[in-house]
Amino acid sequence: MSVGGRWYGGRNRRPGAGDAESDSNWPRISVVIPILNEADNLRQVLPTIPAGYEIIAVDGGSRDESMAVVAELRPEATRLRQTRWGKGNALSCGFAAATGDVIVMFDADGSADAREIDAFVATLMTGADFAKGTRFAPGGGSVDITALRRLGNSGLTALANRLFGMHFTDLCYGYNAFWRDILPLLALPDCEPADAGTRWGDGFEIETVINCRVANAGLVIREVPSHEQHRLHGPSNLNAWRDGRRVLTTLIHEWRARDRTVRLSSAARHFTPAPQPTRPVADRHIPTLRAPHGHRDAV
């Protein structure tokens, strides 16, 4: 698949044998966590992220003790203040600061299970460029999604597949991982401060922007079944109608702006089941998150 005059595709990439931080050639992992008033959740989430993983905590102007909790529980973490506003800018700032071979996009609210990170990384190790989390493939699931959000996600996923010739099963799920060296192909917004307003990709639309650009670049995408848990504490930042309209606008914008010279490879068009982690998750001694009894997010 040609990108910018060169051939690019998935390959079995492993860190060099001399890398002191590698564990049997396991790549270095950077976990990027956008944070906005998540102190209570972080107290339960941070201990579940394996030691040795680089944590990039990006604060969006929290009014609680979120960053103090990060400093207390994971003092080795890189703590940043995002340069503009929105989840997209927070992720872009985190990506720019990451030094690992693999970047994992991870929410701070407890909905993502850190024990699944190994499955995402194992998928990349077998040749994928981008490991896309999905709640709706066999082996995945959600205890949090409402009927309205499920219906909207289904329609938006079908539209994305039609526009970009893909086979996504879950467009609107932000638990993903990818090799850091594909970042230049995604052309995400820079992290320079802006005097006024935000830039395209600074907001919630960033996840859809990434999915569209990965698809348009013809990179090798494989889906990873994932279980979405309840948000642990506090109100959800999701709004089904507002966020659905934003995703729809993003799909149309990215389709119109797509590079029509890129030819999707068969590997990019066809998803394969994710392999099991090459090292047992059970041996990682990662705590299990538990949501308060009966807790549910609003639509």
Side-chain angles (χ1 to χ4, degrees):
M1 184 272 318
S2 178
V3 177
R6 64 188 178 91
W7 287 85
Y8 189 94
R11 64 266 195 193
N12 291 316
R13 286 175 282 192
R14 296 174 182 265
D19 187 346
E21 295 185 28
S22 67
D23 176 9
S24 300
N25 285 333
W26 195 255
R28 295 168 299 160
I29 313 299
S30 295
V31 181
V32 176
I33 310 176
I35 296 170
L36 182 62
N37 300 321
E38 300 284 5
D40 290 339
N41 292 322
L42 288 167
R43 291 190 183 280
Q44 295 181 250
V45 169
L46 290 175
T48 72
I49 300 175
Y53 286 2
E54 179 182 52
I55 296 176
I56 312 291
V58 188
D59 183 46
S62 297
R63 296 182 179 180
D64 64 6
E65 298 179 345
S66 290
M67 298 310 281
V69 171
V70 176
E72 173 191 348
L73 298 181
R74 300 303 290 262
E76 80 283 5
T78 299
R79 302 187 299 277
L80 306 174
R81 175 66 185 267
Q82 67 181 90
T83 55
R84 297 189 294 274
W85 300 101
K87 184 176 184 179
N89 176 246
L91 285 172
S92 292
C93 291
F95 296 164
T99 64
D101 305 297
V102 167
I103 293 176
V104 179
M105 299 163 56
F106 196 82
D107 286 342
D109 61 4
S111 60
D113 188 343
R115 293 174 297 179
E116 295 177 350
I117 291 177
D118 280 357
F120 283 86
V121 177
T123 300
L124 297 173
M125 295 283 281
T126 59
D129 296 304
F130 190 84
K132 174 78 180 77
T134 175
R135 298 161 290 184
F136 304 127
S142 174
V143 297
D144 184 67
I145 193 168
T146 64
L148 177 60
R149 285 170 51 204
R150 182 186 292 268
L151 179 63
N153 184 38
S154 176
L156 292 167
T157 299
L159 177 60
N161 290 338
R162 179 68 177 269
L163 293 177
F164 292 93
M166 302 303 293
H167 298 281
F168 291 123
T169 61
D170 190 358
L171 178 70
C172 303
Y173 190 47
Y175 197 177
N176 307 305
F178 55 90
W179 293 102
R180 183 164 59 94
D181 63 9
I182 74 168
L183 278 173
L185 296 176
L186 303 183
L188 298 178
D190 62 44
C191 299
E192 295 300 319
D195 293 334
T198 59
R199 299 176 183 172
W200 177 250
D202 273 357
F204 176 82
E205 71 274 6
I206 186 63
E207 293 162 354
T208 305
V209 168
I210 291 173
N211 292 334
C212 292
R213 293 184 183 179
V214 167
N216 185 58
L219 300 179
V220 177
I221 305 167
R222 290 180 183 159
E223 290 194 316
V224 180
S226 175
H227 284 270
E228 181 185 36
Q229 306 300 319
H230 288 300
R231 178 181 176 88
L232 294 173
H233 302 281
S236 173
N237 293 319
L238 296 174
N239 180 288
W241 295 109
R242 178 198 64 203
D243 297 337
R245 287 194 299 270
R246 188 177 297 177
V247 171
L248 176 60
T249 300
T250 302
L251 287 174
I252 295 171
H253 179 279
E254 291 295 316
W255 180 74
R256 289 175 174 171
R258 74 194 187 283
D259 181 357
R260 292 171 173 79
T261 66
V262 171
R263 294 172 294 162
L264 292 180
S265 66
S266 59
R269 286 181 176 274
H270 298 285
F271 294 85
T272 58
Q276 295 300 310
T278 57
R279 51 181 178 176
V281 170
D283 293 343
R284 305 300 302 282
H285 303 293
I286 302 173
T288 300
L289 294 179
R290 296 187 182 277
H293 181 68
H295 180 83
R296 278 191 175 276
D297 285 341
V299 175

